[in-house]
Amino acid sequence: MAQIIDGKQVSASVKQEVKDEAAKLRDEKGLKVGLAVVIVGNNPASRVYVNNKKKACEAVGFQSFEYALDESTTQEQLLDLVNVLNRDDRVNGILVQLPLPKHIDEKTVIDAISPEKDVDAFHPVNVGRIMIGDYAFLPCTPAGVMRLIASTGTEISGKQCVVIGRSNIVGKPMAMLLLHESGTVTVCHSKTKNLKEICLGADILVVAVGRANFVTGDMVKEGAVVIDVGMNRLDDGKLCGDVEFESAEKKASYITPVPGGVGPMTIAMLMKNTLTAAKQQNGLT
């Protein structure tokens, strides 16, 4: 039976590190760390995420600036706000909550955020830096996954690592981070053949496909570390991941639950990125 990787516990330790360092910056340098979050429209899930980010800012001692814009906000108006925030010294990190309304082009908005304040690490400059291994911040979910793997004491170097999913937000950067740690990485997706065979070779299996219970226990190698990035809601209202937990738990050495695994890490790593941005902008790294 696998040991459960407790994302709540690991994320609490990350937030405590950030809180301690933010307090030190405030006391010794008079520097207050600030995160601006922009939400456009009334998407209920987005509102929950934004509220959680505000709470996390309060918990670690950051200033939080929220900009809640109407659904009818034009792309130009949103870009104008981003440009104002780029120039605002109180704001160290800028996060525009996705998805945006259909009449606004997400890529144009992400490209407008200053790379130095892009704490989601979605800007092409930051994506490119991740590719070559010379990065300031990492996308929050893959960074959280790396921290969870580290918490198990698992050595990535030389291990067979399989990532299922190739999104720009999780799958691709996840593969690069494992590669930077000298893992041997295979990226799988909807067109991959012999998926079960490939998964059975994985010492570390990261699943991010957005399909409930997609990976079952018979696809998991005995003793593998299994990280489930998925968050799906079943017809009965229950949350589940992309991994069928009960069968996979019997085979894995370590496994993340859903909820309570990768989810809490994403906001914790966002706080860490914002702190890193503040230090860089003030010549403290």
Side-chain angles (χ1 to χ4, degrees), residues 82-83 86 94-96 108-119 123:
V82 168
N83 286 328
N86 280 339
I94 301 169
L95 188 150
V96 177
T108 302
V109 174
I110 289 166
D111 289 359
I113 297 170
S114 164
E116 290 76 29
K117 295 189 177 187
D118 165 42
V119 287
H123 191 285

XYZ file of all heavy atoms in Angstrom, residues 82-83 86 94-96 108-119 123:
145
model
N -3.469 46.133 -17.370
C -2.215 45.363 -17.253
C -1.015 46.305 -17.354
O -0.050 46.199 -16.584
C -2.151 44.246 -18.324
C -0.745 43.638 -18.407
C -3.178 43.155 -18.019
N -1.084 47.250 -18.281
C 0.027 48.201 -18.443
C 0.211 49.086 -17.210
O 1.346 49.392 -16.813
C -0.199 49.075 -19.688
C 0.044 48.296 -20.975
O 0.888 47.406 -21.002
N -0.700 48.604 -22.027
N 1.873 46.864 -14.657
C 3.287 46.660 -15.002
C 4.165 47.771 -14.442
O 5.319 47.547 -14.065
C 3.463 46.624 -16.533
C 3.093 45.286 -17.145
O 3.061 44.266 -16.470
N 2.805 45.292 -18.445
N 1.613 39.862 -11.177
C 0.319 40.113 -11.829
C -0.234 38.771 -12.289
O 0.456 37.993 -12.970
C 0.464 41.032 -13.060
C 1.068 42.382 -12.664
C -0.884 41.223 -13.760
C 1.490 43.230 -13.854
N -1.486 38.538 -11.932
C -2.147 37.293 -12.339
C -3.510 37.645 -12.928
O -4.330 38.265 -12.257
C -2.304 36.396 -11.114
C -2.802 34.982 -11.336
C -2.216 34.075 -10.277
C -4.316 34.919 -11.275
N -3.714 37.314 -14.194
C -5.032 37.492 -14.814
C -5.710 36.123 -14.797
O -5.215 35.165 -15.406
C -4.915 38.030 -16.256
C -6.299 38.123 -16.889
C -4.235 39.403 -16.262
N -2.883 37.352 -26.110
C -2.520 38.782 -26.171
C -2.372 39.351 -24.763
O -1.446 40.129 -24.485
C -3.600 39.570 -26.950
O -3.723 39.008 -28.259
C -3.245 41.038 -27.065
N -3.269 38.952 -23.872
C -3.227 39.464 -22.489
C -2.003 38.930 -21.753
O -1.278 39.685 -21.095
C -4.533 39.097 -21.741
C -4.445 39.485 -20.269
C -5.732 39.779 -22.401
N -1.743 37.625 -21.873
C -0.570 37.032 -21.206
C 0.714 37.679 -21.715
O 1.615 38.007 -20.941
C -0.543 35.500 -21.431
C -1.667 34.841 -20.614
C 0.807 34.903 -21.056
C -1.963 33.407 -21.008
N 0.791 37.910 -23.030
C 1.983 38.522 -23.626
C 2.200 39.953 -23.136
O 3.329 40.467 -23.176
C 1.883 38.526 -25.157
C 2.038 37.135 -25.762
O 2.234 36.178 -24.983
O 1.949 36.996 -26.992
N 1.106 40.608 -22.696
C 1.214 42.006 -22.248
C 1.765 42.136 -20.826
O 2.242 43.199 -20.429
C -0.163 42.678 -22.322
N 1.698 41.060 -20.052
C 2.204 41.103 -18.671
C 3.731 41.124 -18.703
O 4.357 40.354 -19.431
C 1.705 39.881 -17.869
C 0.175 39.904 -17.759
C 2.333 39.831 -16.483
C -0.430 38.621 -17.191
N 4.328 42.003 -17.926
C 5.792 42.059 -17.849
C 6.330 40.701 -17.406
O 5.859 40.150 -16.405
C 6.209 43.124 -16.840
O 7.560 42.954 -16.479
N 7.314 40.127 -18.127
C 7.866 38.823 -17.717
C 8.357 38.810 -16.271
O 8.277 37.789 -15.596
C 9.032 38.602 -18.694
C 8.673 39.411 -19.900
C 7.936 40.619 -19.378
N 8.825 39.963 -15.775
C 9.324 40.047 -14.394
C 8.195 39.951 -13.366
O 8.433 39.660 -12.200
C 10.085 41.371 -14.170
C 11.421 41.471 -14.884
C 11.275 41.740 -16.377
O 10.280 42.378 -16.788
O 12.161 41.286 -17.137
N 6.949 40.222 -13.812
C 5.800 40.164 -12.894
C 4.858 39.002 -13.224
O 3.816 38.855 -12.603
C 5.024 41.489 -12.943
C 5.839 42.678 -12.425
C 4.977 43.935 -12.273
C 5.801 45.080 -11.691
N 4.965 46.257 -11.374
N 5.266 38.184 -14.178
C 4.430 37.069 -14.653
C 4.604 35.866 -13.716
O 5.305 34.910 -14.015
C 4.844 36.723 -16.088
C 4.321 35.376 -16.551
O 3.147 35.069 -16.258
O 5.094 34.631 -17.191
N 3.936 35.922 -12.555
C 4.143 34.902 -11.521
C 3.441 33.577 -11.840
O 3.640 32.593 -11.133
C 3.728 35.436 -10.132
C 4.763 36.440 -9.626
C 2.338 36.069 -10.149
N 4.212 33.696 -19.699
C 4.735 34.559 -20.760
C 5.770 33.793 -21.587
O 6.554 33.007 -21.038
C 5.379 35.802 -20.134
C 5.706 36.875 -21.118
N 6.775 36.784 -21.983
C 5.090 38.059 -21.396
C 6.811 37.868 -22.743
N 5.802 38.649 -22.410
